Amino acid sequence: MATINTYDLNYTDAFKLGIKNYANFNGRASRSEYWRFVAGVTMIQGSLGILAMICNALGLLNFESIVDKVGFFISLFLVLPNIAATARRMHDIGRSGWTQLISFIPIVGFFVFLNYELRRGDQGENAYGERTGYIPVTSDISKETGLEETPSRRQDWIMGITIFLIQSIQIADVVGELLWFGLNGNGYM
């Protein structure tokens, strides 16, 4: 039983750790590590999606095609690290990594799985290893170690709101396109 003495991760470090452990299905991932990794993934994919929308709106269809292809390959690259990070997150609450298959159950599966993702990790050791205990990096620790400070609750809320807005813009674009094609497909102008 080795004691884990890891400093709390900021968004960049959590994303780097998720990529570094791209195929590591062992161990545990705390809520902050997991959700900050997910935030990084969402920001990258969302930013590329909005860039493609802007290219489309400006009539730069060649650039939109390039951005879409880059986005596709980045998303493809991020599938395995996302599955691995989610498996480690499930291990943190004492569940098998296969638990993430619950999310494929229509409607109910999403909410059940979201409940699992949001749960506090098991205190102490469980079947998947020792607790991932992180030490928040305060300004004093930051000065001593050179590490970035742990994001505050306010920064986490700002990141969450930003991701929500990016996702809302993309959803509105898809709904707008569906309505446009639906109206024009039926012969209406």
Side-chain angles (χ1 to χ4, degrees), residues 4 9 17 21 24-31 33-34 84-95 120-134:
I4 297 172
L9 303 169
L17 183 63
N21 290 320
N24 179 9
F25 294 89
N26 299 318
R28 296 166 65 172
S30 68
R31 276 189 300 190
E33 176 187 335
Y34 173 73
T86 305
R88 291 192 308 275
R89 177 69 196 116
M90 292 298 103
H91 292 170
D92 195 43
I93 63 169
R95 295 198 161 270
R120 179 183 300 270
D122 292 345
Q123 298 292 341
E125 191 172 349
N126 69 14
Y128 299 100
E130 195 167 320
R131 182 174 183 259
T132 52
Y134 291 106

Side-chain angles (χ1 to χ4, degrees), residues 153-163:
R153 292 262 184 207
R154 182 173 187 256
Q155 290 169 320
D156 285 339
W157 273 100
I158 290 170
M159 178 62 86
I161 291 168
T162 303
I163 290 171

Side-chain angles (χ1 to χ4, degrees), residues 45-67:
Q45 292 174 329
S47 298
L48 288 171
I50 288 178
L51 181 61
M53 287 171 32
I54 291 170
C55 288
N56 184 349
L58 296 175
L60 305 170
L61 301 181
N62 289 338
F63 289 114
E64 179 193 12
S65 175
I66 292 169
V67 171

Side-chain angles (χ1 to χ4, degrees), residues 3-10 13 30 32-33 36 130-142 144-145 147-152:
T3 303
I4 297 172
N5 186 14
T6 308
Y7 289 105
D8 199 4
L9 303 169
N10 57 42
D13 293 337
S30 68
S32 62
E33 176 187 335
R36 289 177 183 151
E130 195 167 320
R131 182 174 183 259
T132 52
Y134 291 106
I135 301 168
V137 179
T138 61
S139 59
D140 294 334
I141 294 174
S142 178
E144 291 174 18
T145 62
L147 296 170
E148 279 187 54
E149 287 186 46
T150 299
S152 66

